[in-house]
Amino acid sequence: MERAVPTSPTAANRSCENLECYMVLMQAEKTAIGSICFLAGPFTLLENALVLVVIAATATLRRRPTYLFIASIALADVFASCFFTTSFLDFHLFRHSDGPTAYLFKLGGVTMAFSSSVGSLLLTALDRYLCIQQASSYKVLLTRRRALICLLILWSATIFISFLPLMGWRCPTGLTPPCSSLFPYINHGYLACWTSFILVLLTLILCAYALILWKAHRHESSMTSLQGAAGTGHARMRMDIRLARTFGLILLILVGCWLPALSFMLADVSVILTHTQQRAFAFCSTLCLVNSAVNPLLYALRCRELRVALLQLLQRLCVIGRCKKTTQDLPQGIHVTEEISCTAITKHEIPANGTMQLHSVS
């Protein structure tokens, strides 16, 4: 039997022994949100794991700071798909309530994953801005070592911030105000700090892409003035429109997925939310998982280099599988000879792909 919607805001945040006051989803909402999690969770895990495998298996990509940042996004989204999906479904659908330590540990994992994902998106945006702002000295300024240091600082900071409630910064009154109406054992002070931290990261991402568009427009305008307007104005307009559409899509998805959930968190700091608002927040929080599912399509698979590396990896796997299948069908006496022959034929068949030049899309 479902809980009735409270008639007063105070009733929405009253104390509850088994966290029942936070399990507010009705059956139709459980079905809808559960379907989103069951579909988006495995899909997010598989596509981000694929990006990690391709980058790890390609030496050219592993040495590039740009793809280190993309790998960081994929790793964070892998964690998000695992931690968020299991924790969310376990709590809201299966109504399993943990003690303070277990709950805060799970919440810390979810917070770490999403914080690292947004932070890695910021590093990617700054990398693209630096590439267009300091094109001549880009490789000197952003080395692989400096990129790894940036990632180490980012992940260390997000892990520390995410597990602060587990380390003691939790609600002092159990489950009553000033506790959050959205997260058990979380007080308003920590929620306000974390929400502000994510909003700052999102603002910096918006500023970075705005500067990229402005710099690209200025560069193309100067090229047009030097080469003459004939034949270049239309190409410049096409490039400007393409950049604007690409970055507009990135920012629209980023803001659309994160702003609703962050708005509810800010409102939770100021007022006591009702059960209806809690249910709306549960739906909005799944949009953060959707953002993790879309990130590989926007940042990784749009890159020509990574697509080429993926095709080459699949080709190598197919060749290995074909060699194994061929040798298994042969008599044991000529097993080694045929395997060497197959390897030689394979190298002869794919020299063009093996030496294909990769071009930066940063």
Side-chain angles (χ1 to χ4, degrees), residues 13 170-181 186-189 268-269:
N13 202 25
R170 64 182 70 178
C171 188
T173 58
L175 299 174
T176 57
C179 272
S180 168
S181 301
I186 298 297
N187 69 356
H188 288 161
D268 184 34
V269 175

Side-chain angles (χ1 to χ4, degrees), residues 262-273:
L262 294 176
S263 299
F264 276 106
M265 293 182 191
L266 289 177
D268 184 34
V269 175
S270 305
V271 298
I272 299 177
L273 302 182

Side-chain angles (χ1 to χ4, degrees), residues 50-62 64 67 300-301 303-317 353-354 356-359:
L50 178 63
V51 172
L52 286 175
V53 169
V54 173
I55 294 177
T58 308
T60 306
L61 302 184
R62 290 199 308 268
R64 299 274 298 280
Y67 289 97
L301 299 180
C303 297
R304 182 178 178 274
E305 289 177 304
L306 197 141
R307 293 200 305 269
V308 170
L310 174 60
L311 293 177
Q312 292 176 347
L313 178 62
L314 294 177
Q315 189 177 40
R316 291 199 298 268
L317 293 176
N353 292 335
M356 185 176 295
Q357 295 292 329
L358 300 181
H359 303 282

Side-chain angles (χ1 to χ4, degrees), residues 323-349:
C323 290
K324 289 182 177 180
K325 182 178 180 181
T326 303
T327 53
Q328 288 174 357
D329 296 337
L330 292 173
Q332 190 171 0
I334 60 172
H335 175 79
V336 178
T337 305
E338 182 61 26
E339 185 173 358
I340 296 175
S341 176
C342 185
T343 305
I345 294 174
T346 300
K347 292 182 179 179
H348 179 72
E349 288 177 350

Side-chain angles (χ1 to χ4, degrees), residues 220-236:
E220 290 300 318
S221 298
S222 62
M223 293 297 294
T224 301
S225 62
L226 290 175
Q227 298 176 3
T232 60
H234 187 57
R236 178 178 63 84

Side-chain angles (χ1 to χ4, degrees), residues 35-49:
S35 300
I36 295 175
C37 291
F38 278 119
L39 291 175
F43 180 74
T44 303
L45 176 63
L46 290 176
E47 60 178 350
N48 283 287

